[in-house]
């Protein structure tokens, strides 16, 4: 093949690929959601004089063009393959593969963030429950078990725990780190597996002084094809997890009141799997993220009767709270990422209940999200 | 600005410098200018430039991790910055069979490169519209 012909083929190929891509972009309808990335995709921006002159249109169009690119998921997989296997890079967009698991880099430790979290907990205690028994526990993120031993940088978890303990006087710390391991977390997700939380739930119950009511007699219910949050971020073909949720007469008989929607559901909201609104199967646990939920166990008996817990939590709390239901008549879950602390008194009645702050190390390291 | 400085002020001095020093000057200028491009703000850029000249620890856990992570890319980039790949292709092309092979592989390589570059664009890790910031 002579140079002229080769160059013509090159030019023709380039034009075909770019023109073909452009045509596909025009023909293919815009998508609203990316299931793999768990987010809404940017839509075509409105063309207004203000937007164009202000530069906002260009930025918005840039986001739109990338989000609606034809074959986006395939291209993301190609990039992930290049990143991990050709260039031998250790992570792709902060997501790494280790021991058959997918983890997310979380480093370095933000001491100011940990101190901010401690300050938030202390101010909540002072404002709403100065005389209650208050506890604090941290959920180690998966990187605690995977990062350092596989050559990835990790948080200084010891420092984080000591910063929190030193700055939360009067709040009792319950250590959960030794009750967990990498295999107790979903492979494709950040969260822990509910069916593996016996030791963790028992440790919490013991720390809260309610272990005499703690039971572990559950039926496992399996939901196949759980593609966790890291699956989309890794952008590589990975076998899905099986999500297991645990039921018992206690969980079946309990009701969950949502202060936001003023609606009542069960502990496990299977409607989330089919309503088309949720992009996360993990939302089965207590219907996903909510500002204030009140879980009531009408069958509470013995010492659990009349016992109440306020659980300040992030998403990890959704799957462990049902495992403490035998120990309490009421568990109120509060997520101060979704409600400002100043308004809590309007939704939660504080009258001397046990209080537990249960947060993942990722949230503590980014505590600006706690309002 | 550097070009202006070179034309008006530094030109003669640079011409008199040994080649090695001129090359080092160019590398330094390129490094500093890329740091300015990369920075989201002037203070961030200032900190990054200060880090080049002792304003940051020589090594850090993050730095060593980045070095390990980008090692292959750095090697490929270093190789690509030399005349070696071009010389190798020219040598292969010098033979009849080699010339045909290069003619066939070049468009395929270019197409693959276009797809890979597109993949990186789509993943959002690289924004080619760098100059939108200015």
């Amino acid at each position: 093949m002579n140079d002229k012909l080769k160059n013509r083929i090159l030019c023709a190929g380039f034009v075909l690929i770019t023109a073909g891509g452009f045509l596909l972009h025009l023909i293919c309808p815009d998508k609203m959601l990316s299931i793999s990335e768990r987010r809404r995709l940017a839509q075509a921006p409105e063309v207004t004089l203000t937007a164009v002159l202000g530069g906002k249109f260009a930025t918005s169009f840039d986001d739109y063009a990338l989000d609606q690119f034809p074959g986006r998921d395939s291209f993301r997989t190609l990039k992930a393959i290049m990143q991990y296997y050709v260039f031998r890079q250790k992570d792709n967009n902060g997501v790494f593969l280790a021991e058959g698991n997918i983890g997310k880099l979380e480093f370095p430790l933000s001491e100011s963030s940990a101190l901010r979290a401690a300050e938030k907990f202390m101010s909540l205690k002072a404002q709403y429950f100065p005389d209650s028994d208050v506890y604090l526990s941290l959920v180690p993120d998966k990187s605690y078990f995977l990062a350092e031993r596989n050559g990835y940088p990790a948080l200084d978890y010891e420092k984080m725990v000591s910063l929190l303990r030193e700055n939360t006087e009067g709040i009792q710390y319950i250590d959960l780190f030794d009750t967990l391991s990498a295999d107790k977390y979903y492979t494709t997700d950040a969260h822990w597996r509910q069916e593996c939380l016996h030791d963790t739930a028992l440790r919490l119950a013991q720390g809260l002084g309610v272990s005499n009511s703690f039971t572990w007699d559950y039926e496992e219910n399996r939901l196949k094809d759980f593609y966790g949050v890291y699956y989309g971020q890794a952008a590589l073909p990975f076998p899905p997890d099986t999500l297991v949720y645990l039921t018992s007469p206690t969980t079946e008989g309990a009701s969950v009141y949502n202060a936001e929607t003023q609606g009542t559901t069960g502990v496990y909201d299977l409607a989330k799997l089919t309503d088309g609104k949720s992009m996360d199967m993990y939302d089965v646990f207590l219907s996903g993220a909510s500002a204030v939920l009140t879980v009531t166990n009408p069958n509470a008996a013995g010492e659990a009767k009349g016992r109440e817990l306020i659980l300040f939590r992030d998403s990890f709390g959704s799957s462990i709270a049902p495992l403490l239901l035998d120990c309490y008549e009421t568990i109120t879950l509060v997520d101060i990422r979704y409600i400002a602390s100043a308004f809590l008194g309007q939704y939660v009645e504080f009258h001397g209940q046990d209080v537990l702050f249960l947060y993942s190390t990722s949230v503590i390291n980014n505590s600006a999200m706690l309002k | 600005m550097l070009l202006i400085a070179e034309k008006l002020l530094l030109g003669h001095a640079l011409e008199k410098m040994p080649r090695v020093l001129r090359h080092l000057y160019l590398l330094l200028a390129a490094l500093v200018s890329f740091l300015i491009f990369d920075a989201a703000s002037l203070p961030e850029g200032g900190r990054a430039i200060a880090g080049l000249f002792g304003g940051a620890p020589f090594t850090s856990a993050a730095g060593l991790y980045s070095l390990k992570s980008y090692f292959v890319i750095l090697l490929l980039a270093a190789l690509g910055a030399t005349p070696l790949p071009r010389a190798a292709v020219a040598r292969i092309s010098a033979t009849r069979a080699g010339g045909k092979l290069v003619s066939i592989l070049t468009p395929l390589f270019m197409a693959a490169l276009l797809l890979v570059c597109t993949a990186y664009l789509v993943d959002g890790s690289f924004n080619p519209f760098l100059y939108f910031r200015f």
Side-chain angles (χ1 to χ4, degrees):
Chain A
M1 191 193 302
N2 62 33
D3 275 352
K4 206 171 178 180
L5 180 60
K6 183 188 77 180
N7 290 336
R8 281 181 178 171
I9 292 172
L10 262 174
C11 291
F14 177 76
V15 168
L16 272 171
I17 290 173
T18 47
F22 176 66
L23 277 171
L24 272 174
H25 199 130
L26 289 177
I27 294 166
C28 296
D30 290 346
K31 291 181 186 170
M32 296 293 294
L33 302 170
S34 169
I35 304 294
S36 63
E37 292 173 84
R38 306 275 195 81
R39 65 179 184 89
R40 301 195 181 283
L41 296 171
Q43 301 302 303
E46 214 180 314
V47 184
T48 63
L49 194 62
T50 323
V52 171
L53 292 177
K56 194 179 167 190
F57 176 80
T59 313
S60 302
F61 187 83
D62 197 24
D63 293 336
Y64 162 71
L66 286 176
D67 272 5
Q68 302 294 344
F69 202 89
R72 180 185 162 77
D73 286 347
S74 302
F75 277 110
R76 291 187 67 243
T77 300
L78 173 59
K79 188 241 177 181
I81 289 169
M82 292 301 295
Q83 197 99 337
Y84 286 123
Y85 302 117
V86 177
F87 297 133
R88 311 298 291 176
Q89 286 187 265
K90 295 185 78 67
D91 69 273
N92 178 31
N93 296 331
V95 171
F96 64 91
L97 309 177
E99 300 175 20
N101 216 318
I102 309 176
K104 180 116 185 187
L105 289 175
E106 180 75 48
F107 83 100
L109 170 67
S110 169
E111 292 190 25
S112 60
S113 181
L115 289 171
R116 191 186 307 120
E119 197 184 316
K120 171 59 69 178
F121 301 154
M122 292 302 285
S123 81
L124 283 165
K125 179 176 186 291
Q127 183 176 0
Y128 293 113
F129 36 90
D131 302 317
S132 293
D133 291 330
V134 185
Y135 305 84
L136 166 66
S137 200
L138 294 187
V139 180
D141 61 273
K142 224 191 311 187
S143 289
Y144 174 75
F145 306 102
L146 292 174
E148 258 189 332
R149 72 180 186 219
N150 288 287
Y152 294 93
L155 285 180
D156 187 343
Y157 293 93
E158 258 185 57
K159 187 81 187 276
M160 178 188 278
V161 171
S162 69
L163 277 174
L164 280 165
R165 294 185 76 169
E166 285 161 15
N167 291 280
T168 51
E169 195 185 325
I171 297 180
Q172 196 176 322
Y173 181 72
I174 304 172
D175 185 7
L176 299 180
F177 280 56
D178 62 324
T179 67
L180 294 159
S181 55
D183 60 332
K184 293 187 178 181
Y185 293 74
Y186 295 107
T187 305
T188 65
D189 197 68
H191 295 109
W192 50 21
R193 297 172 186 271
Q194 190 189 44
E195 72 275 21
C196 299
L197 293 180
H198 171 271
D199 294 348
T200 310
L202 176 59
R203 178 69 62 81
L204 277 177
Q206 287 167 339
L208 292 163
V210 299
S211 57
N212 50 7
S213 306
F214 182 81
T215 59
W216 189 270
D217 185 15
Y218 295 101
E219 185 183 331
E220 290 190 357
N221 306 270
R222 295 175 183 278
L223 295 172
K224 285 186 190 173
D225 298 337
F226 171 39
Y227 292 95
V229 66
Y230 291 157
Y231 176 82
Q233 291 178 22
L236 285 173
F238 233 84
D241 286 292
T242 297
L243 187 147
V244 175
Y245 63 96
L246 303 174
T247 53
S248 68
T250 301
T251 65
E252 302 278 75
S255 63
V256 183
Y257 175 74
N258 188 324
E260 269 181 278
T261 63
Q262 297 183 338
T264 302
T265 58
V267 167
Y268 301 109
D269 191 353
L270 296 176
K272 284 288 178 183
L273 302 174
T274 52
D275 65 3
K277 292 177 192 168
S278 172
M279 289 184 274
D280 188 354
M281 204 185 268
Y282 188 81
D283 286 350
V284 150
F285 298 107
L286 296 176
S287 307
S290 293
V292 179
L293 295 173
T294 304
V295 188
T296 305
N297 172 18
N299 301 317
E303 293 186 43
K305 185 104 180 121
R307 217 188 252 158
E308 295 178 49
L309 172 70
I310 309 270
L311 174 60
F312 285 86
R313 53 76 178 231
D314 55 23
S315 52
F316 283 83
S318 296
S319 50
I320 201 163
L323 306 179
L324 297 173
L325 267 180
D326 282 317
C327 307
Y328 290 97
E329 184 171 349
T330 310
I331 300 179
T332 303
L333 293 95
V334 179
D335 195 337
I336 53 174
R337 295 174 302 170
Y338 298 103
I339 180 170
S341 304
F343 300 127
L344 262 185
Q346 297 174 28
Y347 296 95
V348 183
E349 205 187 303
F350 296 94
H351 48 252
Q353 308 98 316
D354 289 346
V355 177
L356 170 63
F357 291 102
L358 179 68
Y359 285 98
S360 68
T361 49
S362 303
V363 168
I364 299 295
N365 207 43
N366 297 281
S367 66
M369 63 177 84
L370 301 176
K371 297 180 190 173
Chain B
M1 280 176 65
L2 274 175
L3 283 171
I4 293 169
E6 282 177 20
K7 294 271 187 226
L8 294 179
L9 300 165
L10 302 172
H12 290 301
L14 283 172
E15 279 168 17
K16 289 175 187 170
M17 279 165 67
R19 199 174 166 185
V20 168
L21 286 180
R22 273 188 278 157
H23 196 66
L24 283 172
Y25 156 78
L26 174 63
L27 288 176
L28 186 65
L31 265 176
V32 170
S33 58
F34 274 126
L35 285 175
I36 295 170
F37 273 142
D38 185 57
S41 65
L42 278 175
E44 189 185 315
R47 280 193 297 274
I49 293 168
L52 279 182
F53 301 103
F58 186 70
T59 62
S60 66
L64 287 172
Y65 172 75
S66 294
L67 192 60
K68 274 191 266 183
S69 194
Y70 284 92
F71 189 69
V72 172
I73 289 184
L74 286 170
L75 271 181
L76 288 172
L79 187 65
T82 67
L84 288 173
R86 191 188 179 114
V89 171
R91 199 160 178 180
I92 295 168
S93 302
T95 65
R96 193 171 170 168
K100 279 187 182 171
L101 185 67
V102 167
S103 293
I104 293 167
L105 288 180
T106 300
L108 293 173
F109 177 76
M110 293 296 183
L113 197 58
L114 178 60
L115 289 174
V116 169
C117 290
T118 305
Y120 271 79
L121 274 170
V122 169
D123 196 64
S125 63
F126 174 71
N127 187 342
F129 301 107
L130 188 63
Y131 298 99
F132 272 12
R133 293 187 197 177
F134 293 89

